[in-house]
Amino acid sequence: MNKEAAANAFKLADEAWSAELLKVFGKKSGPAMRYVPAGRGMHGSNLRKIYEARETARTTWCSACGIAA
C-alpha cells in the first residue's frame, strides 16, 4: 500500500474510533478515553473491534512510511 492510501485508511479508522468513543462514553468523556486503556474497549466489544482496526491501519501506515510501529 502506498503512503497516501495508508494515510487515508488510518485517518478513516481513527475517525471511526473517535466516533465510537463518543457513542460509548459521551461527548464529555469520549475524547479523553483515547488515552486510557478503557478507551480500547472490552474484548469482543464493538469498540475493541474498531480500535483494533485502527491499530492495524496505524501499523500499515507506519510501514508504508518506513516508521517503526
Side-chain angles (χ1 to χ4, degrees):
M1 182 178 292
N2 68 38
K3 287 182 189 181
E4 185 177 339
N8 189 50
F10 179 37
K11 179 181 179 275
L12 292 174
D14 190 64
E15 289 171 353
W17 182 48
S18 292
E20 189 67 10
L21 286 170
L22 290 175
K23 180 180 171 186
V24 172
F25 296 107
K27 201 173 193 176
K28 185 175 181 180
S29 298
M33 297 307 288
R34 294 178 68 88
Y35 307 104
V36 297
R40 298 175 188 155
M42 295 177 64
H43 290 284
S45 69
N46 196 42
L47 180 58
R48 176 58 71 110
K49 291 174 188 170
I50 293 170
Y51 170 77
E52 289 176 352
R54 180 211 182 258
E55 283 301 291
T56 298
R58 183 186 67 80
T59 58
T60 300
W61 173 76
C62 287
S63 179
C65 293
I67 302 169

